[in-house]
Amino acid sequence: MPFLITDDGCELYYEVRGEGPAVAFASGFMGITDIWKAQFDALADRYTCIAFDNRGAGRSEKPLPRIAYGVERHARDLHAVLTHLGKVRVVVVGHSMGGNTACQYALDHPDRVAGYVPIGSYVSGSQITGAGNTLERIEAAVTSKASRVAFYEAVGLSNEIAMESTKWELYALMGNARSFMAFDASSRIGEIRCPALVIHGDRDIVSPLDPCGLSLRDGLKDVRLEVIEDTNHCPMSEKPDRVNALLRRFLEERVRWNV
């Protein structure tokens, strides 16, 4: 199985499938590669699809110090995976907190990013809090294993994927929760100049379309917003065919791979 060790000694699990231009997928609070299965299945015929389990989730290590977590740290982990694989130009796709990871990576490595696709994401964690999803509320939702599964199912994931979260340590979950709540790219989002595709469900209960998806649309320079009807927080799992079609069109029509 493919693992690598990061610069701070954390062991990460990653997956690669397909050949061609690279598309990297960054997971969110449900931080495992499994959420991207439908996208790997649909795109690996023409693209190299890459994803990794976030530190604190899945098969990756779950370091204890709080400093081990953070969006900047996740972006460095993404860079470690891509460097290990020799990928110097990619499209970054991120779900929820993974959208923060993709955003940070695009800010840190603008010459490497050919496209940016946030799904169910946002510009600032204050938007999540403003929608009523406070850190205390999230902690209450994931403290017990039963409530954790119910939480992930409530935002649009299958029971099979939601059950994976029962294997993770609460400290790791909360380390990641603090990470996405603290994120704030509002002063820098306009620096991302590559083509962007914002995908958002119209019934997102975690990061509502207004203000979250709309703020991404308004802050990015070269962007298209696609709102998926009757969809909650996880469009890539709830409406995979629609998301896959949008991704394929974006990759084929708007990405400038060789700039």
Side-chain angles (χ1 to χ4, degrees):
M1 285 189 178
F3 290 88
L4 63 83
I5 306 295
T6 64
D7 59 349
D8 66 341
C10 182
E11 192 169 15
L12 296 180
Y13 170 83
Y14 66 92
E15 292 185 4
V16 184
R17 197 195 316 171
E19 295 182 0
V23 183
F25 295 87
S27 303
F29 197 40
M30 172 51 72
I32 53 178
T33 64
D34 306 54
I35 67 171
W36 302 111
K37 182 181 183 304
Q39 286 66 55
F40 272 49
D41 289 346
L43 298 175
D45 62 332
R46 292 191 60 182
Y47 301 95
T48 302
C49 296
I50 302 162
F52 65 100
D53 287 356
N54 290 342
R55 57 175 62 209
R59 292 142 290 198
S60 289
E61 195 173 349
K62 300 160 183 67
L64 187 57
R66 282 178 59 179
I67 197 171
Y69 299 91
V71 170
E72 294 82 3
R73 182 63 259 182
H74 288 306
R76 290 200 295 274
D77 289 347
L78 172 59
H79 185 60
V81 172
L82 294 176
T83 300
H84 177 73
L85 296 172
K87 303 301 181 182
V88 297
R89 190 158 176 82
V90 300
V91 168
V92 286
V93 182
H95 173 244
S96 194
M97 180 183 76
N100 306 159
T101 302
C103 176
Q104 189 65 51
Y105 189 79
L107 291 170
D108 292 344
H109 304 281
D111 294 339
R112 289 175 171 260
V113 177
Y116 166 51
V117 185
I119 301 176
S121 195
Y122 50 92
V123 172
S124 170
S126 63
Q127 296 171 329
I128 304 294
T129 303
N133 297 309
T134 63
L135 188 63
E136 293 76 19
R137 186 173 179 182
I138 292 171
E139 183 172 20
V142 300
T143 295
S144 76
K145 294 181 184 295
S147 64
R148 197 178 297 174
V149 172
F151 168 80
Y152 282 118
E153 289 182 326
V155 302
L157 292 169
S158 68
N159 175 262
E160 180 182 8
I161 289 181
M163 284 292 290
E164 287 297 310
S165 69
T166 64
K167 304 172 184 177
W168 310 340
E169 301 291 347
L170 179 60
Y171 70 78
L173 279 163
M174 292 312 299
N176 279 318
R178 293 185 185 95
S179 168
F180 71 72
M181 297 296 282
F183 181 75
D184 186 356
S186 54
S187 66
R188 298 194 63 195
I189 191 71
E191 296 176 27
I192 297 177
R193 302 288 177 165
C194 65
L197 171 65
V198 176
I199 300 176
H200 222 96
D202 64 344
R203 297 186 179 181
D204 193 323
I205 63 173
V206 175
S207 49
L209 175 63
D210 185 6
C212 298
L214 299 186
S215 67
L216 283 163
R217 178 200 64 187
D218 295 342
L220 292 162
K221 300 300 183 184
D222 180 6
V223 61
R224 178 168 182 169
L225 169 65
E226 292 284 354
V227 179
I228 302 183
E229 295 182 352
D230 300 321
T231 303
N232 196 343
H233 185 54
C234 303
M236 68 289 175
S237 298
E238 298 171 75
K239 301 287 178 64
D241 291 344
R242 175 67 174 145
V243 169
N244 294 343
L246 290 171
L247 285 173
R248 187 175 287 274
R249 186 171 70 186
F250 175 75
L251 295 169
E252 293 175 352
E253 297 180 1
R254 297 190 57 215
V255 174
R256 300 183 294 274
W257 293 101
N258 297 318
V259 173

